[in-house]
Short mmCIF file of all heavy atoms in Angstrom, two decimals:
data_model
loop_
_atom_site.label_atom_id
_atom_site.label_comp_id
_atom_site.label_asym_id
_atom_site.label_seq_id
_atom_site.Cartn_x
_atom_site.Cartn_y
_atom_site.Cartn_z
N LEU A 135 -43.85 10.19 19.39
CA LEU A 135 -44.30 9.31 20.47
C LEU A 135 -45.24 8.21 19.96
O LEU A 135 -45.28 7.12 20.52
CB LEU A 135 -45.02 10.12 21.56
CG LEU A 135 -44.13 11.03 22.41
CD1 LEU A 135 -44.98 11.89 23.33
CD2 LEU A 135 -43.13 10.21 23.22
N LYS A 136 -45.97 8.49 18.91
CA LYS A 136 -46.89 7.49 18.35
C LYS A 136 -46.18 6.49 17.44
O LYS A 136 -46.72 5.43 17.14
CB LYS A 136 -47.99 8.20 17.54
CG LYS A 136 -48.97 9.00 18.37
CD LYS A 136 -49.99 9.68 17.46
CE LYS A 136 -51.01 10.47 18.24
NZ LYS A 136 -51.99 11.14 17.35
N SER A 137 -44.98 6.85 17.00
CA SER A 137 -44.28 6.06 15.99
C SER A 137 -43.59 4.83 16.59
O SER A 137 -43.39 4.74 17.81
CB SER A 137 -43.23 6.93 15.29
OG SER A 137 -42.12 7.13 16.15
N PRO A 138 -43.16 3.89 15.73
CA PRO A 138 -42.41 2.71 16.20
C PRO A 138 -41.13 3.06 16.94
O PRO A 138 -40.62 2.24 17.71
CB PRO A 138 -42.11 1.95 14.90
CG PRO A 138 -43.23 2.32 13.98
CD PRO A 138 -43.50 3.77 14.29
N VAL A 139 -40.60 4.28 16.70
CA VAL A 139 -39.39 4.70 17.41
C VAL A 139 -39.58 4.59 18.93
O VAL A 139 -38.65 4.24 19.67
CB VAL A 139 -39.02 6.16 17.04
CG1 VAL A 139 -37.83 6.65 17.87
CG2 VAL A 139 -38.71 6.27 15.57
N CYS A 140 -40.79 4.86 19.40
CA CYS A 140 -41.06 4.87 20.84
C CYS A 140 -41.77 3.62 21.34
O CYS A 140 -42.15 3.56 22.52
CB CYS A 140 -41.86 6.12 21.21
SG CYS A 140 -40.90 7.64 21.07
N HIS A 141 -41.94 2.63 20.50
CA HIS A 141 -42.56 1.38 20.96
C HIS A 141 -41.69 0.68 22.01
O HIS A 141 -42.19 -0.12 22.79
CB HIS A 141 -42.77 0.43 19.78
CG HIS A 141 -43.88 0.86 18.87
ND1 HIS A 141 -44.30 0.11 17.78
CD2 HIS A 141 -44.67 1.97 18.88
CE1 HIS A 141 -45.29 0.73 17.18
NE2 HIS A 141 -45.52 1.88 17.81
N THR A 142 -40.39 0.99 21.99
CA THR A 142 -39.45 0.36 22.92
C THR A 142 -39.08 1.27 24.10
O THR A 142 -38.18 0.94 24.87
CB THR A 142 -38.16 -0.02 22.17
OG1 THR A 142 -37.70 1.13 21.45
CG2 THR A 142 -38.42 -1.16 21.20
N LEU A 143 -39.76 2.39 24.22
CA LEU A 143 -39.40 3.40 25.22
C LEU A 143 -39.54 2.85 26.64
O LEU A 143 -40.57 2.27 27.00
CB LEU A 143 -40.30 4.62 25.05
CG LEU A 143 -39.81 5.95 25.63
CD1 LEU A 143 -38.49 6.38 24.98
CD2 LEU A 143 -40.87 7.03 25.42
N LYS A 144 -38.51 3.04 27.45
CA LYS A 144 -38.53 2.62 28.86
C LYS A 144 -38.63 3.81 29.80
O LYS A 144 -39.21 3.71 30.88
CB LYS A 144 -37.25 1.83 29.19
CG LYS A 144 -37.01 0.60 28.33
CD LYS A 144 -38.09 -0.44 28.54
CE LYS A 144 -37.80 -1.68 27.70
NZ LYS A 144 -38.92 -2.64 27.73
N GLU A 145 -38.03 4.94 29.40
CA GLU A 145 -38.01 6.12 30.27
C GLU A 145 -38.42 7.36 29.47
O GLU A 145 -37.84 7.64 28.42
CB GLU A 145 -36.62 6.34 30.89
CG GLU A 145 -36.15 5.17 31.73
CD GLU A 145 -34.81 5.44 32.42
OE1 GLU A 145 -34.42 6.63 32.49
OE2 GLU A 145 -34.18 4.48 32.88
N LEU A 146 -39.40 8.09 30.01
CA LEU A 146 -39.85 9.34 29.39
C LEU A 146 -39.79 10.44 30.45
O LEU A 146 -40.49 10.37 31.46
CB LEU A 146 -41.27 9.20 28.85
CG LEU A 146 -41.89 10.44 28.20
CD1 LEU A 146 -41.04 10.92 27.03
CD2 LEU A 146 -43.31 10.17 27.75
N ARG A 147 -38.94 11.43 30.20
CA ARG A 147 -38.72 12.50 31.17
C ARG A 147 -39.14 13.83 30.54
O ARG A 147 -38.54 14.29 29.57
CB ARG A 147 -37.25 12.55 31.60
CG ARG A 147 -36.77 11.23 32.20
CD ARG A 147 -35.25 11.20 32.39
NE ARG A 147 -34.80 9.89 32.80
CZ ARG A 147 -34.67 9.49 34.07
NH1 ARG A 147 -34.93 10.33 35.05
NH2 ARG A 147 -34.26 8.26 34.35
N LEU A 148 -40.18 14.42 31.14
CA LEU A 148 -40.71 15.70 30.65
C LEU A 148 -40.92 16.65 31.82
O LEU A 148 -41.94 17.31 31.93
CB LEU A 148 -42.03 15.46 29.91
CG LEU A 148 -41.94 14.62 28.62
CD1 LEU A 148 -43.32 14.20 28.15
CD2 LEU A 148 -41.23 15.41 27.53
N ASN A 149 -39.95 16.71 32.69
CA ASN A 149 -40.07 17.55 33.88
C ASN A 149 -39.95 19.03 33.52
O ASN A 149 -39.13 19.43 32.69
CB ASN A 149 -38.96 17.18 34.87
CG ASN A 149 -39.32 17.59 36.29
OD1 ASN A 149 -40.36 17.20 36.80
ND2 ASN A 149 -38.46 18.38 36.91
N ASN A 150 -40.82 19.86 34.13
CA ASN A 150 -40.72 21.31 34.00
C ASN A 150 -40.78 21.77 32.54
O ASN A 150 -39.93 22.51 32.06
CB ASN A 150 -39.42 21.81 34.66
CG ASN A 150 -39.37 23.31 34.79
OD1 ASN A 150 -40.40 23.97 34.94
ND2 ASN A 150 -38.18 23.88 34.73
N CYS A 151 -41.82 21.33 31.86
CA CYS A 151 -41.99 21.71 30.45
C CYS A 151 -43.20 22.61 30.23
O CYS A 151 -43.47 23.01 29.09
CB CYS A 151 -42.13 20.46 29.57
SG CYS A 151 -40.60 19.52 29.42
N GLY A 152 -43.95 22.92 31.29
CA GLY A 152 -45.11 23.80 31.15
C GLY A 152 -46.17 23.26 30.23
O GLY A 152 -46.83 24.02 29.51
N MET A 153 -46.37 21.95 30.23
CA MET A 153 -47.31 21.34 29.28
C MET A 153 -48.74 21.82 29.48
O MET A 153 -49.49 21.96 28.52
CB MET A 153 -47.28 19.81 29.43
CG MET A 153 -46.03 19.17 28.90
SD MET A 153 -46.15 17.36 28.85
CE MET A 153 -46.01 16.94 30.58
N GLY A 154 -49.14 22.05 30.73
CA GLY A 154 -50.50 22.46 31.00
C GLY A 154 -51.49 21.32 30.77
O GLY A 154 -51.11 20.22 30.38
N ILE A 155 -52.76 21.63 30.99
CA ILE A 155 -53.80 20.61 30.82
C ILE A 155 -53.82 20.08 29.38
O ILE A 155 -53.85 18.87 29.14
CB ILE A 155 -55.18 21.19 31.19
CG1 ILE A 155 -55.23 21.55 32.68
CG2 ILE A 155 -56.29 20.21 30.84
CD1 ILE A 155 -56.47 22.32 33.09
N GLY A 156 -53.78 21.02 28.42
CA GLY A 156 -53.83 20.62 27.01
C GLY A 156 -52.69 19.72 26.62
O GLY A 156 -52.89 18.70 25.93
N GLY A 157 -51.49 20.07 27.06
CA GLY A 157 -50.33 19.24 26.75
C GLY A 157 -50.42 17.87 27.38
O GLY A 157 -50.03 16.87 26.77
N GLY A 158 -50.94 17.83 28.60
CA GLY A 158 -51.11 16.54 29.28
C GLY A 158 -52.06 15.63 28.54
O GLY A 158 -51.84 14.42 28.42
N ILE A 159 -53.15 16.21 28.03
CA ILE A 159 -54.14 15.42 27.28
C ILE A 159 -53.54 14.91 25.96
O ILE A 159 -53.75 13.75 25.58
CB ILE A 159 -55.40 16.27 27.03
CG1 ILE A 159 -56.12 16.54 28.37
CG2 ILE A 159 -56.34 15.58 26.05
CD1 ILE A 159 -57.27 17.51 28.28
N ILE A 160 -52.79 15.78 25.27
CA ILE A 160 -52.14 15.36 24.01
C ILE A 160 -51.13 14.24 24.29
O ILE A 160 -51.07 13.24 23.57
CB ILE A 160 -51.43 16.55 23.34
CG1 ILE A 160 -52.45 17.62 22.92
CG2 ILE A 160 -50.60 16.09 22.14
CD1 ILE A 160 -51.82 18.94 22.53
N LEU A 161 -50.35 14.41 25.35
CA LEU A 161 -49.35 13.40 25.72
C LEU A 161 -50.01 12.07 26.04
O LEU A 161 -49.55 11.01 25.60
CB LEU A 161 -48.54 13.90 26.92
CG LEU A 161 -47.53 12.92 27.51
CD1 LEU A 161 -46.47 12.56 26.48
CD2 LEU A 161 -46.87 13.52 28.76
N ALA A 162 -51.10 12.12 26.80
CA ALA A 162 -51.82 10.90 27.17
C ALA A 162 -52.33 10.18 25.93
O ALA A 162 -52.23 8.95 25.81
CB ALA A 162 -52.97 11.23 28.11
N SER A 163 -52.87 10.94 24.99
CA SER A 163 -53.38 10.37 23.75
C SER A 163 -52.27 9.71 22.95
O SER A 163 -52.45 8.61 22.38
CB SER A 163 -54.06 11.46 22.91
OG SER A 163 -54.49 10.95 21.67
N ALA A 164 -51.11 10.37 22.89
CA ALA A 164 -49.97 9.83 22.14
C ALA A 164 -49.46 8.54 22.76
O ALA A 164 -49.16 7.57 22.05
CB ALA A 164 -48.85 10.87 22.08
N LEU A 165 -49.37 8.50 24.07
CA LEU A 165 -48.91 7.30 24.76
C LEU A 165 -49.90 6.15 24.57
O LEU A 165 -49.51 4.99 24.41
CB LEU A 165 -48.70 7.58 26.25
CG LEU A 165 -47.51 8.47 26.61
CD1 LEU A 165 -47.50 8.78 28.10
CD2 LEU A 165 -46.19 7.80 26.20
N THR A 166 -51.18 6.49 24.61
CA THR A 166 -52.21 5.47 24.40
C THR A 166 -52.10 4.87 23.01
O THR A 166 -52.16 3.65 22.83
CB THR A 166 -53.61 6.08 24.60
OG1 THR A 166 -53.72 6.59 25.94
CG2 THR A 166 -54.70 5.05 24.36
N GLU A 167 -51.92 5.75 22.02
CA GLU A 167 -51.79 5.28 20.64
C GLU A 167 -50.53 4.45 20.47
O GLU A 167 -50.53 3.43 19.76
CB GLU A 167 -51.77 6.48 19.69
CG GLU A 167 -51.80 6.12 18.22
CD GLU A 167 -53.08 5.41 17.80
OE1 GLU A 167 -54.12 5.61 18.47
OE2 GLU A 167 -53.03 4.63 16.82
N CYS A 168 -49.45 4.87 21.11
CA CYS A 168 -48.19 4.12 21.06
C CYS A 168 -48.39 2.72 21.62
O CYS A 168 -47.92 1.73 21.04
CB CYS A 168 -47.11 4.87 21.85
SG CYS A 168 -45.49 4.05 21.85
N TYR A 169 -49.10 2.64 22.73
CA TYR A 169 -49.35 1.33 23.34
C TYR A 169 -50.20 0.45 22.43
O TYR A 169 -49.91 -0.74 22.23
CB TYR A 169 -50.03 1.50 24.70
CG TYR A 169 -50.33 0.17 25.37
CD1 TYR A 169 -49.34 -0.51 26.06
CD2 TYR A 169 -51.59 -0.40 25.27
CE1 TYR A 169 -49.59 -1.74 26.64
CE2 TYR A 169 -51.85 -1.63 25.85
CZ TYR A 169 -50.85 -2.29 26.54
OH TYR A 169 -51.11 -3.52 27.12
N LYS A 170 -51.24 1.03 21.86
CA LYS A 170 -52.13 0.24 21.01
C LYS A 170 -51.42 -0.27 19.76
O LYS A 170 -51.55 -1.44 19.38
CB LYS A 170 -53.34 1.10 20.61
CG LYS A 170 -54.33 1.35 21.74
CD LYS A 170 -55.48 2.22 21.27
CE LYS A 170 -56.50 2.44 22.39
NZ LYS A 170 -57.62 3.32 21.95
N GLN A 171 -50.63 0.61 19.13
CA GLN A 171 -49.93 0.22 17.91
C GLN A 171 -48.84 -0.81 18.20
O GLN A 171 -48.68 -1.79 17.45
CB GLN A 171 -49.33 1.44 17.22
CG GLN A 171 -50.37 2.35 16.58
CD GLN A 171 -49.73 3.44 15.72
OE1 GLN A 171 -48.58 3.34 15.33
NE2 GLN A 171 -50.51 4.47 15.42
N SER A 172 -48.11 -0.61 19.28
CA SER A 172 -47.05 -1.56 19.63
C SER A 172 -47.64 -2.91 20.02
O SER A 172 -47.07 -3.96 19.71
CB SER A 172 -46.18 -1.01 20.76
OG SER A 172 -46.96 -0.76 21.93
N SER A 173 -48.79 -2.89 20.68
CA SER A 173 -49.46 -4.14 21.04
C SER A 173 -49.92 -4.89 19.80
O SER A 173 -49.80 -6.12 19.71
CB SER A 173 -50.67 -3.85 21.95
OG SER A 173 -50.25 -3.28 23.17
#
Side-chain angles (χ1 to χ4, degrees):
L135 290 174
K136 291 179 179 179
S137 75
V139 175
C140 290
H141 288 184
T142 51
L143 201 61
K144 302 296 182 188
E145 300 184 17
L146 179 59
R147 302 170 188 269
L148 296 167
N149 202 56
N150 191 31
C151 290
M153 288 189 286
I155 295 171
I159 292 172
I160 296 167
L161 175 61
S163 176
L165 290 174
T166 300
E167 187 63 26
C168 180
Y169 179 81
K170 288 179 178 178
Q171 289 189 18
S172 60
S173 297

